[in-house]
Amino acid sequence: KDVHIFIDSGAFTYMSDPKYDDYTVEQWEQQIQEYLKWVEKHKDNIFAFADLDLQYLPKVGYQKVYEWRKKYFEPFMLRTGVPCCFIYHDDGLEYWDYMCKRYPYVGMSTNIDAQNSEEIIKEMFRIAEKHNALVQGMATTDTRILTDLPFYTVDSTTWNVGLKYGEISVWDTTRMRRIKKTEFETKAFPAISKYDIKFDFGLIKDEDKTEMVRVNAYAFVMAEHYVRDRLKAKMYWLKERAVKNDIYDMSIYPTPEVIDSGDLVKYAKGMNINPEAEE
């Protein structure tokens, strides 16, 4: 009961499978209604869910996705309280600004939208911070990116390489490496032996499904700790917001007794002064 999951809408699968090319808008709207019904049924275990970002499908397009957001996803989020993550796909910086202003949780795909330059992506984060919007990185678990850009959440299926390809994702203190089975003993096991929990190397060599999932997933747990430590200063959602005061309101000032006591933390924060500053 303490597990909460980010639910993707399946849009990437739909866009990659030709059998959905001829789906009508009516069929997609039926799919949205079934999707939202399912989300509501399981809302107690859902952290957030993505909207149906089918901007690239010729029979859907950008405007229809925008309509769906106001017709289906916004009312559902307001009614149920389940957070929706609205996914951006090369809609332009002006629309990204609009999204960050309107929605508390937005997503981008550094994989699909790879044509965006590094400067554009950094500008997108500046806009998100300006509006205090949280950003989800779809298919984004490259630690070289994650230690530089303040994503709130990310996802990818790379953790599943053990079952898909018989490989292991290994966390090597500062980076993720994918190791083939022929090199498990020479490259993977020495690194895994340094983890703070133990794994059964015999089961891994036999490609036991449970142990392969455990060892691959745990590498990303360790990567998360690494990213958190290095990204902490850029996590703008943790910063305290500026307080606006009326300087003629005497209640914002400490009394002589409080000044004598030296307990000025509450008043310092109320005046946007760092209470940890020595001076």
Side-chain angles (χ1 to χ4, degrees):
K1 292 187 177 183
D2 60 344
V3 172
H4 295 83
I5 302 170
F6 184 103
I7 304 297
D8 199 358
S9 63
F12 182 77
T13 301
Y14 294 140
M15 289 189 291
S16 304
D17 192 333
K19 76 179 183 183
Y20 294 106
D21 288 350
D22 294 326
Y23 256 43
T24 64
V25 168
E26 290 74 22
Q27 284 176 298
W28 285 123
E29 291 190 347
Q30 177 63 33
Q31 175 66 16
I32 289 172
Q33 291 173 54
E34 291 177 9
Y35 175 41
L36 294 179
K37 185 178 178 181
W38 184 90
V39 168
E40 186 165 10
K41 179 181 178 182
H42 300 285
K43 65 179 184 178
D44 291 342
N45 293 106
I46 292 177
F47 165 74
F49 70 103
D51 72 324
L52 196 60
D53 49 316
L54 297 176
Q55 289 96 316
Y56 292 147
L57 286 184
K59 289 192 176 182
V60 178
Y62 288 86
Q63 290 305 317
K64 185 55 65 177
V65 169
Y66 302 161
E67 289 176 24
W68 286 343
R69 286 172 177 171
K70 293 186 177 179
K71 182 178 179 180
Y72 295 108
F73 292 97
E74 290 182 20
F76 178 86
M77 183 170 64
L78 292 170
R79 180 175 64 81
T80 63
V82 183
C84 181
C85 182
F86 295 90
I87 312 300
Y88 168 97
H89 283 304
D90 203 27
D91 306 60
L93 284 180
E94 186 176 342
Y95 190 75
W96 174 258
D97 185 90
Y98 169 83
M99 287 178 66
C100 292
K101 191 183 300 183
R102 187 175 183 86
Y103 305 126
Y105 196 21
V106 292
M108 69 168 78
S109 172
T110 55
N111 185 22
I112 296 176
D113 302 317
Q115 66 270 27
N116 285 330
S117 68
E118 182 180 341
E119 188 51 45
I120 288 177
I121 292 177
K122 287 186 175 180
E123 176 61 21
M124 291 172 72
F125 274 97
R126 283 192 285 270
I127 292 169
E129 181 173 359
K130 179 179 71 173
H131 298 299
N132 207 33
L134 304 173
V135 181
Q136 149 76 8
M138 309 295 286
T140 305
T141 48
D142 186 337
T143 51
R144 291 169 299 179
I145 295 174
L146 299 184
T147 52
D148 187 42
L149 299 171
F151 285 103
Y152 182 67
T153 51
V154 294
D155 78 88
S156 79
T157 58
T158 308
W159 66 273
N160 201 24
V161 294
L163 293 183
K164 291 166 73 175
Y165 310 114
E167 298 177 354
I168 298 180
S169 289
V170 173
W171 179 248
D172 192 7
T173 66
T174 60
R175 64 191 178 102
M176 193 73 71
R177 292 193 298 149
R178 281 173 58 170
I179 311 294
K180 296 184 182 298
K181 188 172 183 179
T182 54
E183 299 179 311
F184 278 7
E185 293 197 44
T186 56
K187 293 185 178 179
F189 293 167
I192 295 170
S193 64
K194 297 176 184 176
Y195 289 2
D196 54 5
I197 65 172
K198 301 299 181 184
F199 294 91
D200 189 318
F201 294 158
L203 290 177
I204 292 173
K205 282 194 286 188
D206 292 339
E207 295 188 45
D208 176 80
K209 286 185 178 182
T210 300
E211 201 67 1
M212 289 293 275
V213 167
R214 285 183 71 237
V215 73
N216 276 286
Y218 195 69
F220 284 89
V221 172
M222 298 184 72
E224 180 188 4
H225 295 319
Y226 175 82
V227 170
R228 279 177 179 272
D229 286 344
R230 279 149 188 80
L231 203 62
K232 199 172 294 181
K234 294 183 179 180
M235 291 179 174
Y236 54 86
W237 55 90
L238 297 180
K239 297 177 183 177
E240 291 195 40
R241 313 304 289 175
V243 180
K244 291 184 178 180
N245 287 313
D246 176 1
I247 62 169
Y248 298 107
D249 176 7
M250 298 308 293
S251 68
I252 69 171
Y253 303 105
T255 64
E257 292 77 20
V258 171
I259 292 174
D260 287 340
S261 74
D263 186 14
L264 298 171
V265 170
K266 182 180 76 170
Y267 294 95
K269 289 184 175 181
M271 295 181 182
N272 301 303
I273 297 170
N274 180 3
E276 297 177 6
E278 288 184 11
E279 65 273 20

